Amino acid sequence: MSEKIKEYPGHPLSEQDISTGKVLTTKWRPKARYMYAAGVAISKFLEELKNGRIVGRKCRKCGRILVPPRMYCEWCFRPTDEWVYVKDTGRVVTAVISYIAADRARLEKPEIIAVIELDGASPGMGILHKLGEVDPEDVKNMKVFGMRVKAVWKPPEEREGSITDILYFRPLKEGEE
Amino acid sequence: MSLEKIRDPERMRRWPGHMETDYVYTVGLAGERFFREIKDNGKFYGTRCEKCGITYFPARTFCERCLSELKEWVEVSPRGYVEMYTIAYMDLEGNKLEKPEIWAFIRFEGVFGGLVHKLGEVKPEEVKIGMVVEPVLKPKEQREGSITDILYFKPAK
Amino acid sequence: MIIKRKVAVVGAGLTLFRRRMQETSRELAWEATKMALETAGIELKDVECVVMGSAPDAFDGIHMKGENLADGCGGWRKPYTRVFVGGGTGVFVPIAAWWHVASGHFDICLAVAEEKMSPCHPHPQWAFHTIFDPILSRPLGVNLIWIFALEMHRYMYKYGIKKEDIALVSVKNKANALDHPCAQLAAKITVEDVLNSEVLVWPVQRLDISPITDGAAAIVLASEDVAKKLTDSPVWIEGVGWCLDSRYWTNRDLAYPKYVEYAARMAYKMAGIHNPPKEIDVAEVYDPFDYKELHHMEGLLLARKGEAPKLTKEGVTQRDGDLPINPSGGLLGVGNPIAAAGLMKVCEIFWQLRGEAGKRQVPGDPRTGLAQAWGDLMQIGTVIVMRA
């Protein structure tokens, strides 16, 4: 039973116990730097982002168009067959408002984060990206769900072949496709 | 079905990354007393498991063989002997060291375990396995309760 | 399927769960292991093999954490294995320990889970950042809470669920934890407290989330013959299941954890359970976020899709309800030392089925219990069914 804890009560500390040196500590900052290989599919994907286009791969067996592209289909477990360009428009599957950065520090200006299904990709092929020009209230009242959006690209000369060559997705304007 | 290849290495992208994490480790229950004894008194301590007849050095909280809590603290003579050693010519990033470093595993009489540490006041060609060594500590006011409170081990007189 | 032998849990140990502990990782593991051995009435020499689990090495900042922890887990000169399935590890540890004994190869196996998250400074969130795709996700500044928030919001949207309905889970679990001597965040709070807490990533607020924790848990498993010699009240492991979904988490149906259902179906089939809500008397469901308890109840087929909030509102999941969920206080109340949190749930089911849960005991002499954990890139479900 959990009452056994009385025999091994443990030694909890406060942040102060550590910061004031009440208990001994050692510090370490790893020098862990990496150079990741992007691979065939993602190298091409990044290259096409630089051209202002989004490319996927098609598996002829299950018929899916995979975005981001993959050189193998993880369902059919076979190589995918061809490159397919998809549109830079799509539909919001889910969206949230982030008030914190990756290290949990508060952001000065909140960001809207979304999963977006692109037109031309198979259903369910959501990608992670940001939304802009969207009223945070429309996230809170859920109007954002199903919203039609379009990529806002960096100017061609500023693109570097990165997922951030798309600045964000904005709502499609009326009459726009 | 096609297996495409990128033939132009310029088109194969690489992406830099970095694990930007900082760590602060507590030295633990036995570690707290072990390092304080070095810091405050310049003394080495082990802990003894009576059941298994072993004195662990550095001191541990529990016996790895029977998991008993170790409450008996035993002072260990700081004079040890070189069990094995190596000479490092490069630093952690592969840069050539100005002066080669001698690293040794040092055992102490009557205890189980020992310390990996640097040897000083000795030339690489003079080091011998079995050589008796003793620690050189930082001046007391500079000690922090860390393994680097020991600057190095030197041949014993 | 032929299972060679029945396997029982015969002892359990759990350390204090706190934001920072002075103990090293190994000392924490040792405390839990010691308690488990003592309650099982055995010594380390009786243990034939050890299975341990811990989350990514980046938290405690010691690579080859399994090897580092080995002596604290009782692994000295024994067959010793580390298993890892992210946050699902805590329940995967007893599953792996189970097959060590069920296979007939060993009679007594120790299962230990430990997590020390406090060394990662100033906040382990940055270590979580490194679980994501370095090329397509990290450049966006991805935060672990984003992905939970995205999933929670999709779940709310699909089934028309309100934040106040979800907050009830946090209120219940933190209150349950008041009776747990190891608990880190036990509290009497209200739905309003949750809704007024700091907004991190809408719709996720501070009190929707479990904390950062140091802690360890351990259990002892034994074969049928040995278990019956050691105790009059063994708790049998009768069903185990696990399943991993696509690493492309944005490709999944975020409103429903299908992979948890697959894991549950595997465990139910093995345990001969046909009607889970009727046959499960008490469940410890993985609750790192309050909506996850609801999400997982549905994946575990304990509630119909979209209906777990209704059961919660009606009090069905309270300790004295028809289907008590997380009587321990869960991760939201007891704390979330990742792998150790999952094994804490298995400990709780062990104590509940032995009638040893003290003030946390659910009424009605529960006979069948379930523990579940979840993790990796929101992709694994691990499930264990136990019977008194």
Side-chain angles (χ1 to χ4, degrees):
Chain A
M1 56 189 174
S2 45
E3 299 306 315
K4 183 90 183 157
I5 182 81
K6 285 174 190 158
E7 295 168 44
Y8 295 88
H11 298 74
L13 299 173
S14 69
E15 175 63 47
Q16 273 192 333
D17 292 338
I18 289 172
S19 62
T20 61
K22 188 181 157 198
V23 297
L24 295 175
T25 54
T26 58
K27 295 184 176 62
W28 182 58
R29 171 174 288 183
K31 288 188 185 169
R33 291 185 183 273
Y34 298 87
M35 196 55 90
Y36 301 99
V40 175
I42 299 302
S43 288
K44 169 94 169 175
F45 180 69
L46 296 174
E47 185 177 287
E48 290 292 5
L49 287 174
K50 201 169 177 180
N51 298 329
R53 292 189 295 202
I54 300 171
V55 71
R57 280 291 281 188
K58 182 169 179 173
C59 171
R60 278 192 207 129
K61 189 161 182 218
C62 64
R64 290 192 307 160
I65 293 170
L66 308 161
V67 181
R70 304 154 208 184
M71 297 315 287
Y72 60 91
C73 172
E74 80 274 19
W75 286 10
C76 307
F77 221 62
R78 59 185 287 285
T80 50
D81 302 286
E82 57 188 300
W83 298 102
V84 178
Y85 291 98
V86 302
K87 291 191 172 173
D88 71 347
T89 54
R91 190 179 294 278
V92 174
V93 180
T94 176
V96 299
I97 313 165
S98 183
Y99 297 86
I100 54 171
D103 61 357
R104 205 211 177 279
R106 292 295 291 182
L107 288 173
E108 272 182 36
K109 191 169 170 277
E111 297 180 313
I112 301 177
I113 315 303
V115 174
I116 299 152
E117 286 185 9
L118 296 172
D119 296 329
S122 290
M125 280 292 134
I127 63 158
L128 179 71
H129 219 292
K130 297 179 185 181
L131 297 184
E133 302 172 39
V134 171
D135 182 355
E137 276 312 306
D138 285 343
V139 177
K140 291 195 178 180
N141 63 28
M142 294 192 179
K143 277 189 189 156
V144 73
F145 284 82
M147 183 183 273
R148 303 275 302 137
V149 292
K150 182 174 172 64
V152 174
W153 297 83
K154 279 185 183 168
E157 63 279 11
E158 286 177 25
R159 289 181 208 147
E160 47 195 353
S162 159
I163 190 70
T164 54
D165 287 349
I166 297 173
L167 290 167
Y168 56 83
F169 285 78
R170 63 160 172 84
L172 263 190
K173 296 178 181 118
E174 223 157 301
E176 194 179 21
E177 282 189 29
Chain B
M1 197 162 87
S2 73
L3 272 175
E4 195 161 322
K5 288 179 185 151
I6 293 179
R7 294 179 193 281
D8 174 3
E10 295 290 312
R11 291 180 58 204
M12 180 56 89
R13 287 290 302 271
R14 296 189 306 157
W15 197 270
H18 182 197
M19 281 210 188
E20 294 177 77
T21 40
D22 271 312
Y23 294 93
V24 179
Y25 307 95
T26 57
V27 299
L29 304 180
E32 188 72 23
R33 177 157 171 199
F34 175 76
F35 286 115
R36 283 201 188 276
E37 289 288 356
I38 293 176
K39 179 175 185 273
D40 300 338
N41 306 317
K43 286 183 173 171
F44 286 0
Y45 272 86
T47 45
R48 180 159 178 83
C49 178
E50 207 49 62
K51 196 171 158 191
C52 299
I54 292 173
T55 302
Y56 290 98
F57 177 78
R60 303 185 191 181
T61 300
F62 59 91
C63 172
E64 66 183 9
R65 297 168 188 231
C66 70
L67 294 190
S68 299
E69 185 173 357
L70 304 181
K71 294 176 177 165
E72 190 188 338
W73 284 69
V74 183
E75 192 180 340
V76 175
S77 161
R79 198 173 259 236
Y81 60 92
V82 173
E83 167 125 335
M84 52 189 114
Y85 70 96
T86 187
I87 302 160
Y89 296 91
M90 283 187 281
D91 69 12
L92 281 174
E93 287 171 355
N95 306 310
K96 199 167 177 0
L97 288 168
E98 267 179 43
K99 195 175 161 226
E101 290 174 352
I102 311 165
W103 290 91
F105 180 63
I106 301 156
R107 281 205 193 275
F108 300 83
E109 282 307 327
V111 299
F112 181 80
L115 289 176
V116 173
H117 221 294
K118 220 192 299 200
L119 298 187
E121 299 181 33
V122 60
K123 292 190 182 122
E125 54 273 23
E126 294 167 1
V127 182
K128 287 194 175 52
I129 285 178
M131 191 166 89
V132 179
V133 291
E134 61 189 22
V136 177
L137 301 184
K138 280 183 184 169
K140 194 172 174 183
E141 61 281 5
Q142 289 174 19
R143 291 181 211 153
E144 300 170 310
S146 144
I147 192 69
T148 55
D149 287 352
I150 305 169
L151 290 168
Y152 54 84
F153 281 77
K154 66 172 185 184
K157 294 198 180 83
Chain C
M1 177 175 58
I2 301 161
I3 304 289
K4 293 189 90 156
R5 303 202 292 180
K6 284 182 76 173
V7 180
V9 182
V10 296
L14 189 65
T15 69
L16 191 67
F17 280 16
R18 283 294 182 272
R19 176 67 178 82
R20 291 167 203 85
M21 293 291 280
Q22 185 177 6
E23 281 84 343
T24 59
S25 306
R26 298 150 66 209
E27 288 167 345
L28 268 178
W30 168 74
E31 287 176 3
T33 302
K34 231 3 212 170
M35 286 188 259
L37 291 178
E38 286 174 12
T39 57
I42 61 171
E43 293 181 38
L44 185 59
K45 63 176 171 52
D46 304 316
V47 171
E48 293 173 343
C49 63
V50 180
V51 176
M52 74 78 61
S54 199
D57 294 353
F59 293 119
D60 71 357
I62 299 173
H63 278 102
M64 303 218 299
K65 203 190 212 180
E67 291 70 10
N68 177 56
L69 283 167
D71 60 342
C73 299
W76 183 73
R77 287 187 186 165
K78 291 187 195 297
Y80 171 85
T81 311
R82 177 185 181 183
V83 294
F84 177 73
V85 284
T89 300
V91 170
F92 196 66
V93 166
I95 291 175
W98 166 82
W99 77 57
H100 277 67
V101 179
S103 67
H105 204 40
F106 300 102
D107 280 326
I108 297 184
C109 179
L110 242 175
V112 187
E114 184 276 347
E115 214 68 67
K116 192 164 164 79
M117 301 174 76
S118 62
C120 196
H121 268 241
H123 197 281
Q125 209 47 256
W126 202 241
F128 277 124
H129 180 70
T130 63
I131 71 175
F132 291 101
D133 185 299
I135 304 173
L136 298 182
S137 299
R138 284 194 226 163
L140 296 171
V142 61
N143 183 298
L144 187 72
I145 301 172
W146 283 12
I147 70 174
F148 286 101
L150 287 160
E151 191 179 67
M152 173 171 168
H153 217 196
R154 180 73 198 168
Y155 175 62
M156 290 167 63
Y157 174 74
K158 179 142 183 192
Y159 299 114
I161 297 162
K162 300 214 168 347
K163 269 169 62 68
E164 39 271 48
D165 297 338
I166 292 174
L168 282 171
V169 173
S170 194
V171 173
K172 165 178 72 78
N173 291 2
K174 286 179 192 295
N176 281 352
L178 287 166
D179 296 323
H180 202 306
C182 305
Q184 178 182 357
L185 281 189
K188 194 95 203 133
I189 61 164
T190 64
V191 168
E192 286 66 39
D193 292 333
V194 180
L195 300 182
N196 291 331
S197 63
E198 181 191 11
V199 180
L200 300 173
V201 183
W202 180 270
V204 171
Q205 295 181 251
R206 186 75 205 89
L207 290 178
D208 290 310
I209 312 187
S210 57
I212 305 294
T213 310
D214 290 353
I219 59 173
V220 178
L221 281 74
S223 61
E224 183 170 10
D225 292 352
V226 173
K228 284 179 173 166
K229 278 180 209 147
L230 288 173
T231 176
D232 294 333
S233 48
V235 172
W236 304 100
I237 294 177
E238 302 225 325
V240 298
W242 65 101
C243 177
L244 197 79
D245 204 334
S246 166
R247 62 81 80 180
Y248 296 93
W249 64 271
T250 52
N251 291 180
R252 289 204 290 273
D253 172 6
L254 295 175
Y256 184 73
K258 192 77 186 169
Y259 49 98
V260 172
E261 182 190 322
Y262 287 149
R265 285 189 186 279
M266 180 176 161
Y268 292 153
K269 186 178 171 200
M270 187 178 145
I273 287 175
H274 304 288
N275 185 348
K278 287 274 169 292
E279 293 176 62
I280 302 285
D281 300 322
V282 54
E284 280 282 329
V285 173
Y286 205 59
D287 61 326
F289 287 63
D290 44 13
Y291 83 95
K292 286 308 280 186
E293 175 173 313
L294 306 168
H295 214 233
H296 289 148
M297 280 172 66
E298 294 169 19
L300 291 165
L301 311 173
L302 296 174
R304 282 202 276 277
K305 287 181 186 175
E307 289 189 5
K310 189 167 155 269
L311 299 184
T312 306
K313 215 169 176 175
E314 289 167 354
V316 173
T317 62
Q318 294 285 349
R319 245 184 230 147
D320 57 358
D322 282 346
L323 181 54
I325 304 286
N326 291 333
S328 67
L331 278 53
L332 289 161
V334 187
N336 188 6
I338 305 179
L343 195 55
M344 174 277 283
K345 288 182 170 293
V346 176
C347 292
E348 182 68 12
I349 295 301
F350 171 71
W351 290 319
Q352 289 286 349
L353 298 181
R354 298 237 290 195
E356 288 179 356
K359 282 196 273 179
R360 303 189 307 282
Q361 185 65 47
V362 305
D365 189 23
R367 311 304 299 163
T368 305
L370 173 148
Q372 175 247 340
W374 162 95
D376 280 337
L377 265 181
M378 317 220 295
Q379 68 196 133
I380 191 160
T382 48
V383 177
I384 195 162
V385 174
M386 293 155 72
R387 282 204 182 93

